[in-house]
Amino acid sequence: MNKKHTKLLAFDKNHVWHPYTSMSSPLPSYLVASAEGVHINLASGESLIDGMSSWWSVLHGYNHPKLNSALIEQSTKMSHVMFGGLTHQSAIDLCEKLIRLTPHGLDKVFLSDSGSVSVEVAMKMALQYWHSKQSENIAYKSKTKLLTVRNGYHGDTFAAMSVCDPVTGMHQIFEQVLMQSYFAPAPSIAFGQLWQAEETKALRQLFEQHHDELAAFIIEPIVQGTGGMRFYHPQYLKECRKLCDQYDVLLIVDEIATGFGRTGKLFACEWAEISPDIMCLGKTLTGGYITLAATLCTDDIANTISEGEAGCFMHGPTFMGNALACAVANASIDLLFENDWQQQVNTIEHQLTSLLMPLATHTRVKDTRVLGTIGAVECLQRVNVAHIQKRFVELGVWIRPFGKLIYIIPPLIINNEQLTTLVNAIATVLDEDDCFISNE
Ligand SMILES: *Cc1c(COP(=O)(O)O)cnc(C)c1O
């Protein structure tokens, strides 16, 4: 590490917030010089195989020539223009693609800046929908609450936080200001296990009791990501659709982590063959290049809101429809199909399954599971993040575990040899006591 790097890191440590770590005694940060393909290159010289896709967002690898040129080409026309009163081809092309690719019925697109904001938009749409609904049925106006399941994660802004798991989402800190939502137990039957009808009993009761107050039900489809990489039975999502229809509640599906092939389907909703009323997309939308999110909804929702009291939907971010972001999103979606994403995902799933399976019998391991490009090793003990991270870097990989979970979600372009290096690194740290915090 040279002097310049030491100085940069010292400033970073003293002044720059990083996610979910203390500012007074932060977890260490590693200085990155560049990234290319599946490699993250540290300023100190190590080249790490990326197992995280920069929090699920990278699909085709870093520094991709086609994505780079989409950005450059767009920037020579314009990087951004306001979306109020103006529009442009990159945004129009992207919305056309999203409507065509997502499940049937999602025909209106609202572009925004980040996943959390797209969830805010989805929730606001649901609330404004019921508020706008023309009817003698005055009860519609009281449909102002959200129902969700435990273990969920939907973002860090206030409305999104109100539907995150109350425990891991730390609701007690913000209790006084958070919207109060209803929580059903988390889905418990895993993907691939035998379905049992009792699974949705508690959920049904909540619909029965509270449907008069419920604007929407929100859920991550098939994979509860941040809540522990839990893969649940598609029938659960099917039942959610049925309950929403039966009780006149909108279904919001948060595909921010699962969208664009990650679970083996282009969208995880397809596992249950359902269409939601509102869908949120983010993370992989630009192939990991720039922040961009989208909230899609049905014609009915858009029309009802537009014909309601306000006459329009009350939201409009400054950087809505950012041209650079839309251009790179278009290029990333084109690449998915050029590269045959289904084949890429199936290959990774197959390789990950055979690589991770042997770890299932390790004394430190509670469960290993794979779905699409997501591989998870659930341990019996919590990891020591600072130490395990250091060990992973020494082993030439970038994997960032949380809680008891060591997981990988690599870019689609990863090959078998690189995947093997990732899994071997996990196998190595499982044997090291200092990588874990003892349970007492
Ligand atoms: C990451 C994530 C979000 C939040 O997206 P940001 O871009 O971080 O605001 C919301 N929902 C799910 C399911 C996510 O994985």
Side-chain angles (χ1 to χ4, degrees):
M1 181 95 51
N2 67 31
K3 240 191 184 145
K4 187 177 133 214
H5 298 157
T6 312
K7 217 172 142 194
L8 283 171
L9 281 174
F11 189 91
D12 187 87
K13 186 174 175 196
N14 289 324
H15 299 286
V16 184
W17 286 101
H18 283 266
Y20 307 109
T21 189
S22 161
M23 194 76 249
S24 50
S25 62
L27 292 167
S29 289
Y30 295 84
L31 189 64
V32 177
S34 65
E36 171 94 36
V38 293
H39 288 94
I40 293 176
N41 305 316
L42 299 186
S44 48
E46 297 96 328
S47 182
L48 310 178
I49 295 173
D50 178 27
M52 305 309 296
S53 293
S54 287
W55 272 343
W56 307 65
S57 66
V58 174
L59 282 176
H60 314 293
Y62 298 89
N63 207 359
H64 194 288
K66 286 196 176 162
L67 300 186
N68 290 359
S69 60
L71 268 183
I72 292 162
E73 202 181 304
Q74 179 63 56
S75 72
T76 61
K77 295 178 198 147
M78 82 267 185
S79 296
H80 182 69
V81 290
M82 66 184 278
F83 218 48
L86 299 173
T87 193
H88 52 84
Q89 187 175 350
S90 294
I92 296 165
D93 286 349
L94 177 61
C95 294
E96 183 278 322
K97 284 188 172 79
L98 296 180
I99 290 167
R100 178 160 44 82
L101 297 173
T102 53
H104 177 77
L106 299 168
D107 289 331
K108 303 284 197 264
V109 189
F110 191 100
L111 298 170
S112 64
D113 330 70
S114 76
S116 301
V117 175
S118 78
V119 171
E120 299 280 322
V121 166
M123 289 170 69
K124 213 169 171 181
M125 270 180 186
L127 298 176
Q128 207 183 325
Y129 172 76
W130 294 112
H131 192 270
S132 306
K133 216 164 157 69
Q134 293 296 325
S135 166
E136 337 44 283
N137 188 351
I138 197 74
Y140 280 153
K141 298 243 188 304
S142 62
K143 284 168 88 66
T144 56
K145 289 215 149 68
L146 272 284
L147 171 64
T148 186
V149 291
R150 288 183 182 268
N151 271 320
Y153 178 76
H154 298 285
D156 293 345
T157 51
F158 272 89
M161 237 189 332
S162 75
V163 286
C164 289
D165 185 84
V167 179
T168 57
M170 306 218 184
H171 280 202
Q172 70 280 10
I173 301 179
F174 302 107
E175 211 174 9
Q176 307 301 320
V177 283
L178 274 190
M179 284 166 62
Q180 296 300 307
S181 305
Y182 291 110
F183 292 89
S188 67
I189 300 178
F191 192 96
Q193 279 183 350
L194 202 64
W195 176 254
Q196 289 168 320
E198 304 91 80
E199 171 81 340
T200 49
K201 199 168 158 217
L203 181 67
R204 175 175 292 279
Q205 274 168 2
L206 285 162
F207 270 95
E208 259 165 31
Q209 279 165 14
H210 300 295
H211 63 95
D212 284 347
E213 307 162 64
L214 291 179
F217 172 75
I218 182 167
I219 191 164
E220 294 157 274
I222 309 300
V223 177
Q224 293 193 291
T226 308
M229 302 302 146
R230 305 171 84 246
F231 311 148
Y232 65 84
H233 200 295
Q235 188 64 32
Y236 191 92
L237 193 55
K238 263 195 181 137
E239 299 295 326
C240 295
R241 176 70 276 180
K242 284 192 219 159
L243 288 166
C244 285
D245 288 339
Q246 184 182 345
Y247 288 102
D248 229 3
V249 173
L250 296 176
L251 174 60
I252 303 173
V253 159
D254 178 350
E255 287 260 11
I256 291 167
T258 48
F260 300 102
R262 281 295 184 194
T263 68
K265 300 279 186 192
L266 195 56
F267 298 100
C269 279
E270 295 169 25
W271 285 111
E273 297 168 308
I274 59 128
S275 287
D277 301 298
I278 302 177
M279 178 188 263
C280 300
L281 297 173
K283 288 202 163 88
T284 49
L285 184 53
T286 65
Y289 264 56
I290 316 183
T291 181
L292 179 69
T295 309
L296 286 88
C297 73
T298 60
D299 285 339
D300 176 41
I301 292 174
N303 294 337
T304 304
I305 288 172
S306 305
E307 282 148 31
E309 198 175 303
C312 64
F313 180 54
M314 296 306 288
H315 211 97
T318 305
F319 284 97
M320 187 170 183
N322 177 260
L324 289 177
C326 291
V328 76
N330 282 321
S332 173
I333 294 171
D334 290 346
L335 262 181
L336 266 182
F337 291 92
E338 276 170 42
N339 291 346
D340 194 353
W341 66 269
Q342 183 80 67
Q343 181 64 42
Q344 288 178 314
V345 173
N346 291 352
T347 306
I348 292 172
E349 181 173 49
H350 186 74
Q351 291 168 349
L352 260 184
T353 306
S354 59
L355 288 165
L356 281 180
M357 203 106 77
L359 301 187
T361 51
H362 194 285
T363 49
R364 206 164 242 137
V365 173
K366 185 175 172 206
D367 185 38
T368 62
R369 46 189 181 268
V370 174
L371 184 67
T373 65
I374 314 163
V377 178
E378 188 178 338
C379 302
L380 293 162
Q381 289 163 279
R382 290 197 303 122
V383 299
N384 175 338
V385 178
H387 187 77
I388 207 169
Q389 190 86 86
K390 180 167 160 277
R391 288 293 295 133
F392 278 135
V393 169
E394 285 164 3
L395 294 164
V397 300
W398 183 248
I399 298 175
R400 189 166 179 87
F402 66 92
K404 294 178 177 175
L405 208 74
I406 306 175
Y407 75 100
I408 52 179
I409 176 152
L412 303 184
I413 54 159
I414 197 159
N415 66 31
N416 194 25
E417 192 189 327
Q418 293 158 337
L419 264 184
T420 307
T421 306
L422 286 175
V423 176
N424 284 347
I426 297 175
T428 303
V429 299
L430 282 175
D431 287 331
E432 297 180 6
D433 290 341
D434 352 347
C435 288
F436 296 86
I437 296 166
S438 63
N439 273 334
E440 49 285 339

